[in-house]
Amino acid sequence: QKEVEQNSGPLSVPEGAIASLNCTYSDRGSQSFFWYRQYSGKSPELIMFIYSNGDKEDGRFTAQLNKASQYVSLLIRDSQPSDSATYLCAVDQGGKLIFGQGTELSVKP
Amino acid sequence: GAVVSQHPSWVICKSGTSVKIECRSLDFQATTMFWYRQFPKQSLMLMATSNEGSKATYEQGVEKDKFLINHASLTLSTLTVTSAHPEDSSFYICSYSPTGRHNSPLHFGNGTRLTVT
C-alpha cells in the first residue's frame, strides 16, 4: 500500500465547475497536510496546508481533512483553464513529507 | 515569500561527467535546504537534507558518494551529480522551509532538468 495515494487522472472538468481532488494516506499519526500545484515542467508551489479536521478555505480553494478516514481533499471552485496542472498531496510522516504521485487536472474552456 | 534561485534550469551532459546544481537563497539565510528528485509522472522523492556547515543527511537508497552536497554558506547549497549516467536523468529541485523542518510549508527552487546522454 502506498503511503500517500492519489488518483493520477487526468481529471477533466469544464470551466466554472468545481474540481475535487482526493488524497488518502496510511499513517494515522500524520499531523500536517499540504497541497502543491505543479505546472508541466515547473517546480511545485504551495497552495494550502491544513492541520486540523474540517475545512480550510482560501479564495477559490478549500482543503478538507478527515483524520479518522485518513483522507484530505482539495476543492477548486469556479475552475479556470489556468488551474490546469498536477496537484500534489503531501503528508507529514514522522517529521518528513511524503508526496503523492499527483493528480493531473485539466480544465476545459 | 522566500525566494530560492536554482541554476542551471536545464543541463545536458555526457555519461561519465559530473554536473553541479546550485541553489541560492536570495532574501533569507537558510541553515537547511532539501534536495528532491522527480522522475516523469512520479512523485517528489527527498534525496537529502543539506545543513550549513555540516554533512548532509541522505535518505535511504541515495548514494552519498554519487550525489555530493555542499552547504558552505547560509545562502548557497550545491548538489553535484558525479559520474552521471542516463538513469540519473531527472528533475532535481531544491527547497527551503522557513521553520527548518521538512514537515512545514516548503518553498521550491525552479528545478534543474538533467539529461544524461
Side-chain angles (χ1 to χ4, degrees):
Chain A
Q1 180 186 3
K2 292 182 179 179
E3 296 169 301
V4 179
E5 198 150 358
Q6 297 180 254
N7 188 321
S8 61
L11 172 67
S12 183
V13 300
E15 183 175 357
I18 296 175
S20 178
L21 305 161
N22 299 312
C23 173
T24 58
Y25 59 95
S26 60
D27 185 359
R28 284 195 168 275
S30 296
Q31 297 295 322
S32 308
F33 307 85
F34 305 83
W35 283 101
Y36 288 86
R37 177 176 61 197
Q38 186 174 24
Y39 290 112
S40 181
K42 305 295 183 182
S43 63
E45 53 183 329
L46 180 69
I47 297 178
M48 290 188 71
F49 57 89
I50 185 168
Y51 300 143
S52 304
N53 272 331
D55 295 359
K56 180 181 179 182
E57 187 174 317
D58 184 0
R60 295 187 296 112
F61 299 96
T62 299
Q64 299 176 318
L65 174 61
N66 184 321
K67 291 185 179 180
S69 301
Q70 294 176 240
Y71 82 78
V72 55
S73 61
L74 180 69
L75 302 179
I76 306 175
R77 290 182 298 280
D78 188 23
S79 295
Q80 301 297 309
S82 58
D83 294 326
S84 297
T86 296
Y87 290 81
L88 304 173
C89 170
V91 177
D92 165 40
Q93 183 170 313
K96 292 183 179 179
L97 281 190
I98 306 298
F99 285 82
Q101 190 174 349
T103 298
E104 183 183 350
L105 173 66
S106 177
V107 182
K108 304 294 187 184
Chain B
V3 178
V4 181
S5 177
Q6 186 173 343
H7 294 279
S9 298
W10 58 271
V11 58
I12 301 173
C13 70
K14 292 186 177 181
S15 186
T17 61
S18 295
V19 174
K20 179 185 282 189
I21 301 169
E22 292 188 348
C23 190
R24 293 182 182 273
S25 54
L26 299 185
D27 55 357
F28 61 94
Q29 294 183 328
T31 56
T32 303
M33 300 285 281
F34 305 103
W35 286 94
Y36 291 85
R37 178 169 54 184
Q38 186 180 35
F39 292 106
K41 301 295 184 182
Q42 295 190 23
S43 63
L44 284 167
M45 297 299 295
L46 178 66
M47 298 177 66
T49 300
S50 165
N51 302 296
E52 187 268 335
S54 64
K55 291 183 178 180
T57 303
Y58 290 82
E59 295 302 301
Q60 190 174 7
V62 177
E63 299 176 60
K64 62 179 182 180
D65 294 330
K66 182 172 182 60
F67 299 99
L68 301 180
I69 290 175
N70 185 280
H71 195 151
S73 77
L74 288 172
T75 58
L76 176 64
S77 177
T78 62
L79 168 67
T80 301
V81 183
T82 63
S83 186
H85 291 283
E87 57 265 31
D88 297 324
S89 298
S90 188
F91 191 45
Y92 293 85
I93 321 172
C94 64
S95 74
Y96 163 76
S97 166
T99 66
R101 300 195 311 268
H102 190 235
N103 59 349
S104 296
L106 300 174
H107 301 267
F108 287 91
N110 290 331
T112 298
R113 180 81 54 192
L114 171 63
T115 302
V116 184
T117 61

